[in-house]
Amino acid sequence: MGFTKVAGHFPDKIEDLDFKYLTNTHCFVLGDYMGIKNRIMQLPSVASRRELLKQKCLQDAMATARAQEGYETIVLGKTKDGAALAVAPDVERRTYEMIASLIRENEEDWKRLGKEGVDAMVTTVKKELTGFAKKVLADAAENYKPLGIVGLGKVKKVTGVLPPEFELMVKLASQRIPIMLVGPAGCGKTYLAEKLGEALDLEFSDQSCSEGMSESVFNGLLLPIGKGGEFKHCSSPWMDRYEMGGVMLLDEIDAGDPNLFTYINKAIAQKSYTVAQRYLKPIIKKHDDFVLVAAANTYGHGADSMYVGRNQLDAATLDRFKVGLITMDYSKDVEKSLAPDDLCEWAWRIRENIRKHKLRRVMSTRVIKDLATMTNTMTTLVA
């Protein structure tokens, strides 16, 4: 049946597992859980699939912790009450419930028919389980929000637990409308900008902003690096993305110098801008696939009690992002994919009290992710 277990061959810890005992079905389902199902399906032999899966599951502490959850669910058959999470336990539990029910209802027949009876039972379970499994997997896929991105003559699918704002980001980016993500610290703004580059199959660059940031961020540098100390122009990540295409993130834009951003207002709204330092080719032309994303903790109207180091952005700059303004918050769906349920519940209670009592504190998705990593690391060390 694919999920059948061989007694004694499946230890409690995936680190102790001899992967040769995994069936094809184990490899496909656990591979899907680890995000490499397509790569596994392309391999010609069961042995090569097991080896790839082993490398992925044991590549680092974080991967091993996730693999352990999938292993408990898919291979060991534990339910949520027993420790594991995800949707797979429902399929597993349903499988065993159906088998037990058939055995109870036809106990005398199984004794009389022997192997033929067991084979018939397996066939029946397989048939009934197929429709149920398809529904469960469809429900799971909905949580992962796979998005088909049409561009550059091909379709790219991006999977992962993503907040609902991502779909709007893709729509705005497809029309090359500048995007501004506004949300609390550690809610995943930078992560979403990186995933946008993956979705569009474009290069990704970022620049952290501060008051000390100079025009070289947008103009590059003229340096004596040529023969005999000849000055040559060195490009910047901004220029590369602007000219060659890609997703450019201006991170913490509300911490930057507002006068500096007015310098690039023309570049954002128009098709080119001028860089005198690149004297051989001073006109910088915008690529058709240049996508601009800005991330901020405030709406650009100045510092508040939480984000005291933020500046007021010029109205002309904010106008460039007016259509593409997206307000974000912490996503519980994303956090549930990063940490165990009990850790999430604990963090959410703290966040609720922070907001209830209007405290100047943050319980971010980043903190939850780091706590989960440390918890898994300490558990591994103790074990």
Side-chain angles (χ1 to χ4, degrees):
M1 285 179 51
F3 289 97
T4 303
K5 290 175 275 197
V6 181
H9 290 160
F10 295 100
D12 290 336
K13 297 287 186 182
I14 194 168
E15 298 100 311
D16 301 327
L17 171 68
D18 187 339
F19 279 68
K20 73 180 182 181
Y21 293 113
L22 294 181
T23 65
N24 247 334
T25 304
H26 285 141
C27 290
F28 290 147
V29 179
L30 187 55
D32 186 49
Y33 190 81
M34 298 299 294
I36 58 169
K37 185 183 72 172
N38 289 338
R39 289 169 58 192
I40 285 178
M41 293 179 70
Q42 291 169 2
L43 294 175
S45 68
V46 179
S48 59
R49 293 166 191 159
R50 290 167 178 155
E51 182 59 30
L52 174 61
L53 183 60
K54 179 179 180 180
Q55 292 174 8
K56 176 65 177 177
C57 290
L58 305 180
Q59 68 180 7
D60 54 43
M62 196 168 192
T64 301
R66 176 168 176 79
Q68 178 67 30
E69 294 170 349
Y71 173 67
E72 290 181 0
T73 295
I74 296 160
V75 181
L76 300 184
K78 292 185 179 179
T79 64
K80 268 192 177 182
D81 294 335
L85 51 84
V87 180
D90 294 331
V91 177
E92 192 79 350
R93 184 167 55 251
R94 173 74 173 217
T95 303
Y96 294 130
E97 285 176 356
M98 291 171 66
I99 292 174
S101 175
L102 284 168
I103 290 175
R104 285 194 303 271
E105 293 171 8
N106 304 279
E107 185 173 358
E108 294 304 318
D109 289 338
W110 303 141
K111 291 178 181 178
R112 179 170 53 85
L113 295 175
K115 183 179 182 301
E116 290 182 2
V118 174
D119 289 344
M121 175 188 68
V122 170
T123 301
T124 302
V125 171
K126 278 185 176 180
K127 183 177 180 181
E128 292 189 27
L129 184 60
T130 299
F132 174 76
K134 285 182 179 179
K135 180 181 183 302
V136 170
L137 293 175
D139 291 343
E142 177 62 23
N143 291 330
Y144 281 76
K145 302 285 184 187
L147 294 170
I149 311 302
V150 181
L152 306 177
K154 55 186 175 182
V155 174
K156 179 77 179 284
K157 283 193 174 181
V158 176
T159 60
V161 181
L162 299 167
E165 294 86 0
F166 187 69
E167 191 167 354
L168 177 56
M169 284 183 68
V170 171
K171 291 178 181 178
L172 290 166
S174 67
Q175 300 302 314
R176 305 301 185 250
I177 295 174
I179 299 165
M180 184 171 179
L181 303 175
V182 178
C187 68
K189 299 183 291 295
T190 302
Y191 172 74
L192 284 193
E194 292 175 350
K195 293 298 283 187
L196 182 63
E198 181 184 334
L200 299 175
D201 203 18
L202 295 174
E203 291 288 331
F204 172 80
S205 297
D206 67 326
Q207 173 65 51
S208 293
C209 302
S210 69
E211 284 193 339
M213 190 172 69
S214 71
E215 289 184 2
S216 61
V217 169
F218 307 114
N219 291 343
L221 295 168
L222 198 60
L223 299 174
I225 58 175
K227 187 175 181 180
E230 177 189 1
F231 278 82
K232 289 192 173 183
H233 182 266
C234 297
S235 187
S236 67
W238 164 274
M239 292 180 66
D240 290 342
R241 299 288 71 78
Y242 194 90
E243 276 195 308
M244 295 183 286
V247 175
M248 181 69 204
L249 170 65
L250 294 178
D251 205 7
E252 314 284 4
I253 189 174
D254 53 343
D257 184 343
N259 291 309
L260 180 60
F261 294 125
T262 61
Y263 172 77
I264 62 163
N265 283 346
K266 178 180 183 295
I268 296 173
Q270 304 300 323
K271 296 292 186 181
S272 66
Y273 74 108
T274 302
V275 175
Q277 291 94 318
R278 198 174 77 172
Y279 50 88
L280 296 177
K281 193 179 178 183
I283 304 299
I284 312 297
K285 295 183 179 180
K286 184 191 291 185
H287 195 280
D288 289 341
D289 290 323
F290 173 68
V291 177
L292 178 60
V293 181
N297 296 128
T298 70
Y299 289 95
H301 302 312
D304 59 25
S305 61
M306 282 289 292
Y307 303 103
V308 297
R310 307 299 151 152
N311 293 319
Q312 183 175 352
L313 297 178
D314 191 87
T317 301
L318 291 175
D319 186 66
R320 266 67 175 176
F321 297 97
K322 189 167 291 183
V323 174
L325 180 64
I326 299 176
T327 301
M328 288 185 61
D329 201 349
Y330 302 113
S331 168
K332 288 188 175 182
D333 286 339
V334 172
E335 290 168 348
K336 284 192 292 185
S337 74
L338 298 172
D341 288 349
D342 55 348
L343 175 55
C344 287
E345 293 291 345
W346 171 80
W348 295 338
R349 286 195 300 271
I350 292 178
R351 183 182 294 157
E352 183 180 348
N353 284 321
I354 288 173
R355 291 179 171 177
K356 179 180 178 180
H357 298 289
K358 299 180 179 179
L359 303 176
R360 293 174 59 186
R361 297 290 185 270
V362 170
M363 175 53 72
S364 68
T365 302
R366 177 169 49 231
V367 169
I368 293 174
K369 176 178 177 292
D370 290 346
L371 284 172
T373 301
M374 284 307 300
T375 301
N376 291 330
T377 300
M378 293 304 295
T379 300
T380 303
L381 290 174
V382 171

